[in-house]
Amino acid sequence: MAFFTHQVIRGLSSSAVRNAAIKHVTIIGGGQMGAGIAQVAATTGHSVVLVDTNEEILKKSAKGIEGSLKRVVKKKFADKPDAGAEFIAKVMANVSISTDAASVVGSTDLVLEAIVENLKIKRGLFGALDKVAAAHTIFASNTSSLPITDIASSTSRLDRFGGLHFFNPVPMMKLVEVIGTSATSQETFDSLLAFSKALGKTPVSCKDTPGFIVNRLLVPYMMEAIRLHERGHGSKEDIDIAMKLGAGYPMGPFELLDYVGLDTAKFIMDGWVEKDPDNPLMQPSELLNKLVAEGKFGKKTGEGFYKYK
């Protein structure tokens, strides 16, 4: 009886650990997305460690977070400069930086990756961290296009692995796609949903399918706009105007492609074509491939479908 009671208590304790609220977060990747997630998490009272291999990137990230907070203060604390300064100091106190991921994941509740969209690199990262992270730690990827199952397979915690797909700019965009694989436990999925809500976001539940929800609908839409233009059935300007005025979209598909990055759109499509080569919605575009080959990625390079000064 004592053994049975001990086992039940231990089981309940493990369940309680798994269901405990996520408070300590390690974010891997100090780019725009990682820094944005760090800002939101720190603002909502989470303890955040932002990790990157480059110290200069981390310093730039911290400076960017502080700059973003100053813009928030101008709006929310316009007449209360002292309160605004206190707000910034409090949020920044929740953020620390590190170039050594392995040294900081031992006690974290969540490891959230926001690095380059490369399956081999993501698998290598999680495979290494799996060996040193605490047993209760949940792993999550912010990938927008790679299968979570393929990333998770590099670890031994398939039940504690899921996806958290944020949208850019993170402080402004309310949506988070929460992705569960066939192996993700309900406790893990519920924890990721609760964490998203704690950030002030609106989560939607997704299966581990290509593009999840948003990109699965959005990318084929943008690709069909390119094909429409390639067939000579509409100029890019007219197509953009039509979708803005006719469908009420804030940007037309070509404007959106330039904003997202033509290289990013091509990367997503290439991955989908490889997985489902016969799907007519996932066929490549010669025009898109040509622009990417010429280094015209959109706004970030100064030229894509449109030119930017």
Side-chain angles (χ1 to χ4, degrees):
M1 183 67 178
F3 173 76
F4 174 75
T5 304
H6 174 70
Q7 290 296 98
V8 169
I9 291 173
R10 189 171 71 175
L12 288 172
S13 299
S14 298
S15 178
V17 167
R18 288 196 300 271
N19 286 314
I22 292 170
K23 293 295 184 183
H24 302 279
V25 185
T26 299
I27 299 170
I28 313 293
Q32 187 176 23
M33 185 63 73
I37 299 169
Q39 177 185 326
V40 172
T43 301
T44 49
H46 296 82
S47 175
V48 180
V49 181
L50 185 59
V51 179
D52 203 288
T53 56
N54 189 305
E55 186 79 35
E56 290 305 312
I57 289 177
L58 287 170
K59 289 179 180 177
K60 183 179 178 181
S61 300
K63 186 177 180 181
I65 292 172
E66 190 168 0
S68 180
L69 291 172
K70 286 178 180 178
R71 290 191 290 274
V72 172
V73 164
K74 282 185 179 180
K75 293 181 180 180
K76 291 190 174 182
F77 299 92
D79 301 323
K80 301 176 181 179
D82 291 342
E86 183 181 347
F87 168 76
I88 293 174
K90 185 177 180 180
V91 173
M92 293 306 296
N94 289 335
V95 181
S96 59
I97 59 175
S98 175
T99 56
D100 185 4
S103 69
V104 298
V105 299
S107 60
T108 194
D109 299 319
L110 172 68
V111 173
L112 176 54
E113 164 271 314
I115 62 173
V116 63
E117 285 285 79
N118 181 296
L119 180 60
K120 184 178 179 180
I121 295 175
K122 290 180 189 290
R123 283 173 53 83
L125 170 70
F126 280 118
L129 295 183
D130 187 43
K131 297 179 176 66
V132 293
H136 79 280
T137 302
I138 295 172
F139 283 4
S141 174
N142 180 61
T143 181
S144 62
S145 60
L146 297 173
I148 301 296
T149 300
D150 290 354
I151 303 172
S153 64
S154 64
T155 76
S156 61
R157 60 184 77 212
L158 302 184
D159 61 322
R160 285 153 289 151
F161 207 117
L164 282 174
H165 181 215
F166 291 81
F167 293 80
N168 202 24
V170 179
M172 294 178 63
M173 299 295 280
K174 299 293 289 184
L175 182 68
V176 177
E177 291 180 319
V178 181
I179 304 102
T181 72
S182 59
T184 305
S185 71
Q186 190 61 50
E187 291 91 348
T188 295
F189 195 78
D190 289 345
S191 291
L192 293 175
L193 284 172
F195 173 66
S196 302
K197 291 176 182 177
L199 297 183
K201 302 299 184 184
T202 300
V204 291
S205 301
C206 305
K207 299 296 184 182
D208 190 21
T209 55
F212 315 129
I213 293 176
V214 173
N215 281 338
R216 183 63 182 82
L217 295 172
L218 185 61
V219 175
Y221 152 72
M222 293 190 295
M223 292 302 297
E224 185 57 26
I226 298 174
R227 296 187 193 103
L228 190 70
H229 178 53
E230 285 177 322
R231 292 193 297 266
H233 294 171
S235 69
K236 58 183 183 291
E237 293 84 1
D238 282 347
I239 293 171
D240 276 351
I241 290 171
M243 293 310 296
K244 286 189 288 186
L245 299 185
Y249 290 3
M251 288 190 213
F254 292 98
E255 292 171 325
L256 185 56
L257 278 159
D258 277 357
Y259 179 80
V260 170
L262 306 192
D263 54 330
T264 301
K266 183 182 183 306
F267 176 85
I268 293 172
M269 287 304 301
D270 288 349
W272 289 2
V273 169
E274 186 178 342
K275 289 277 186 181
D276 192 3
D278 297 325
N279 190 326
L281 292 177
M282 298 181 180
Q283 295 309 302
S285 157
E286 289 185 10
L287 177 56
L288 178 63
N289 291 345
K290 177 177 179 292
L291 289 170
V292 171
E294 293 172 351
K296 299 173 181 177
F297 299 163
K299 279 195 168 184
K300 59 187 172 184
T301 59
E303 184 175 356
F305 284 104
Y306 297 107
K307 290 184 178 180
Y308 302 89
K309 294 181 179 179

